[in-house]
Amino acid sequence: MLTTNPFETLDGDKLREECGIFGIWGADNAAGFVALGLHALQHRGQEAAGITSYDGAHFHSHRAMGHVAGNFDRDDVMRKLPGRAAIGHVRYSTTGETALRNVQPLYAELNDGGFAVGHNGNLSNAMKLRRTLNRRGSIFQSTSDTEVIIHLVATSQAASPTDRLIDALKQVEGAYSLVVLTEQGLIACRDPLGIRPLVMGKLGEATIFASETVALDVIGASFIRDLDPGELVIVNGSGLRSFRPFEKASARPCIFEHVYFSRPDSIVDGTSVYEVRKNIGAELSREAPVQVDLVVPVPDSGVPAAIGYSQESGIPFELGIIRSHYVGRTFIQPSQEVRHLGVKLKHNANSALIRGKSIVLIDDSIVRGTTSVKIVQMMRDAGAREVHMRIASPPTKYSCFYGVDTPERAKLLAAQMSIEAMRDYINADSLAFISIDGLYRALGQDRDPNAPQRCDACFTGDYPTRLTDLAESDPDASLALVAAR
């Protein structure tokens, strides 16, 4: 039976993006630009951050637990990161323990010099590769799947560092966008399906790579283009070269980047995230209308969809839930009673607005359902006459194996319950989700179920790559995924 956990905050019931990456070549104080870029990508990972720079002779690294602010806004730290090239990473762990040894960029001294890598994504055959490498004598220093890439590069017999990286990546499965810093140049690469995003920009003569366009905006850089799926770019003193070394495949970028992960002010795959989220709300209004007094977003991620729902339906948009942005995750009190009350430190009902009204809540997703239970009850406690709920994504029925921190399938509410049972569980007057076809329409596409244009596996169970590690570690789970599709 699924139950709410009084120790969870409302943030504990969201899918977590895995990482954000940023790299720059050819700028004075490169590490300073990386720190600013990582600030803009902080939403992609709040567990840890790291920067590695290269000054033409030596590599310099600083990695720390916690946010970019507090770690990389200190002169004593930044002075130790000289050079005109640097890469950085913000982390939310999806593989490997929460420990400093797993904080990226990971760095190693290889046969032809230093090698630092920052990775956004997840390798679905990392454990199998790791066992093979261990048998060959590799000694791992972390529990991160990213270190597998380093060992594959180190043991490759290819001629150049770039060729060795290509050789390594041809052995991995899953999702990756990479920034790699070597003595020969800065390399950026996106997996053949383009599951995870990666963009390229320019600032004067400097070349930049980042997970999202907002990281370019914050340093005043201009957006050049998205890296193509399967593209590898190397930039150094000789200029910029682009390679497409992998077998061509139909692109499957992650659809959840538009639903939740990316910042609303980013442009992902040529499309405004904010506009897509408004479109989702409008589609949701057409698919699941309801007669209410107010449209209320669950902040902050539900706001653009709620605006779209309001504009399409003509129902007034109001901030019926107020979020405090000044409460950190570390605010934990010793008693269960105070912990439970602590939920209201981050989200509180705007009671004067809500009292006596019928409302529709707009949220981006339902994962375990604990957030929805608390939000609906909060609205009822504030005096709402009716509380309806509309979700700006289809039911999340399947776990992600490409770098998004999702619960195992048994803990996903939509995998265990019908929509009506979910409605009863969260105690809403009605509950509806946007359809998978409606989500594609919001992206300006007609969905082709026989040739999906996106990775939508969390909704459909249609995984675009093999799940080797899952199949080997839990054959029953792997078969269950196939059977459930």
Side-chain angles (χ1 to χ4, degrees):
M1 178 180 176
L2 292 158
T3 58
T4 57
N5 180 353
F7 293 88
E8 283 190 89
T9 68
L10 296 182
D11 280 351
D13 187 31
K14 291 291 183 183
L15 300 182
R16 299 288 186 179
E17 177 58 289
E18 65 300 330
C19 298
I21 56 176
F22 189 99
I24 184 167
W25 178 275
D28 293 334
N29 186 29
F33 287 111
V34 173
L36 289 171
L38 294 182
H39 272 288
L41 299 173
Q42 187 74 84
H43 60 287
R44 298 185 73 91
Q46 292 121 54
E47 185 177 275
I51 295 176
T52 298
S53 69
Y54 179 59
D55 63 9
H58 301 96
F59 289 84
H60 310 270
S61 292
H62 183 77
R63 301 178 299 156
M65 306 303 296
H67 288 188
V68 179
N71 286 310
F72 292 98
D73 53 3
R74 295 162 40 195
D75 288 341
D76 61 321
V77 170
M78 299 309 294
R79 280 197 300 268
K80 295 176 183 177
L81 296 169
R84 304 188 77 244
I87 63 174
H89 188 273
V90 287
R91 180 175 192 259
Y92 185 90
S93 62
T94 58
T95 65
E97 63 185 335
T98 301
L100 188 60
R101 64 177 175 156
N102 287 328
V103 179
Q104 299 183 37
L106 297 183
Y107 176 78
E109 287 284 349
L110 303 186
N111 186 52
D112 52 6
F115 185 96
V117 58
H119 171 205
N120 171 209
N122 195 62
L123 308 182
S124 56
N125 66 335
M127 294 309 298
K128 181 178 182 179
L129 291 170
R130 188 183 181 106
R131 287 192 295 271
T132 300
L133 288 161
N134 276 330
R135 286 194 293 268
R136 293 177 184 169
S138 291
I139 300 172
F140 283 78
Q141 302 298 315
S142 76
T143 58
S144 169
D145 64 336
T146 307
E147 193 179 357
V148 169
I149 296 172
I150 294 177
H151 285 273
L152 290 174
V153 172
T155 56
S156 172
Q157 300 302 305
S160 71
T162 302
D163 289 337
R164 284 193 285 278
L165 177 61
I166 292 169
D167 181 41
L169 295 178
K170 286 183 176 180
Q171 300 176 61
V172 306
E173 300 167 2
Y176 57 84
S177 283
L178 305 176
V179 284
V180 178
L181 190 58
T182 73
E183 294 177 12
Q184 291 76 30
L186 172 61
I187 303 170
C189 186
R190 197 175 178 194
D191 70 71
L193 297 176
I195 297 174
R196 303 263 68 88
L198 193 61
V199 301
M200 179 166 61
K202 290 287 286 185
L203 181 65
E205 297 301 312
T207 301
I208 301 156
F209 303 96
S211 292
E212 294 184 37
T213 58
V214 288
L216 304 177
D217 297 339
V218 76
I219 64 170
S222 57
F223 168 74
I224 301 300
R225 62 179 177 87
D226 293 277
L227 262 69
D228 291 333
E231 184 181 12
L232 184 148
V233 175
I234 180 168
V235 58
N236 54 28
S238 300
L240 184 147
R241 290 176 293 159
S242 171
F243 303 86
R244 286 169 174 78
F246 309 110
E247 185 175 337
K248 188 171 178 57
S250 297
R252 296 282 298 274
C254 173
I255 203 167
F256 225 98
E257 290 283 349
H258 286 92
V259 173
Y260 176 67
F261 296 137
S262 295
R263 259 178 50 165
D265 46 342
S266 277
I267 306 295
V268 174
D269 296 322
T271 306
S272 162
V273 174
Y274 180 77
E275 289 300 324
V276 168
R277 290 179 187 169
K278 282 181 61 182
N279 292 344
I280 291 172
E283 285 286 344
L284 190 53
S285 174
R286 290 189 284 269
E287 289 187 351
V290 62
Q291 294 297 314
V292 293
D293 300 314
L294 301 175
V295 176
V296 175
V298 177
D300 289 318
S301 55
V303 171
I307 293 172
Y309 195 102
S310 171
Q311 290 177 347
E312 178 66 22
S313 66
I315 301 169
F317 168 97
E318 294 287 357
L319 296 179
I321 302 169
I322 305 301
R323 176 175 177 174
S324 170
H325 294 268
Y326 305 101
V327 179
R329 289 170 158 203
T330 56
F331 189 89
I332 301 295
Q333 293 295 328
S335 75
Q336 179 173 332
E337 180 183 8
V338 175
R339 282 175 177 165
H340 185 65
L341 293 174
V343 167
K344 292 190 175 182
L345 289 173
K346 202 159 243 185
H347 296 79
N348 194 41
N350 188 352
S351 300
L353 177 73
I354 294 299
R355 190 173 297 112
K357 302 290 200 313
S358 59
I359 66 169
V360 58
L361 294 167
I362 310 294
D363 204 357
D364 59 85
S365 60
I366 291 181
V367 184
R368 294 179 180 90
T370 53
T371 295
S372 302
V373 169
K374 292 170 184 174
I375 289 287
V376 170
Q377 189 58 49
M378 185 185 295
M379 296 297 95
R380 295 201 185 281
D381 291 344
R385 188 173 73 253
E386 292 179 358
V387 182
H388 302 266
M389 199 156 197
R390 298 293 181 266
I391 306 301
S393 63
T396 304
K397 295 183 177 181
Y398 301 90
S399 299
C400 177
F401 299 95
Y402 302 121
V404 177
D405 183 46
T406 49
E408 60 191 50
R409 193 161 186 262
K411 295 180 180 178
L412 292 171
L413 197 69
Q416 308 304 314
M417 295 183 178
S418 67
I419 292 178
E420 176 57 25
M422 294 172 71
R423 180 209 63 75
D424 184 62
Y425 175 75
I426 68 174
N427 192 29
D429 290 285
S430 72
L431 171 66
F433 296 77
I434 193 171
S435 67
I436 186 68
D437 289 335
L439 181 56
Y440 273 84
R441 284 194 296 270
L443 283 158
Q445 296 178 316
D446 292 323
R447 175 174 173 260
D448 182 351
N450 298 314
Q453 304 97 315
R454 304 272 174 174
C455 179
D456 54 20
C458 53
F459 308 131
T460 65
D462 183 8
Y463 294 94
T465 74
R466 291 189 295 269
L467 303 177
T468 298
D469 288 343
L470 177 69
E472 292 191 356
S473 65
D474 193 348
D476 290 340
S478 183
L479 288 171
L481 284 176
V482 174
R485 282 160 53 179

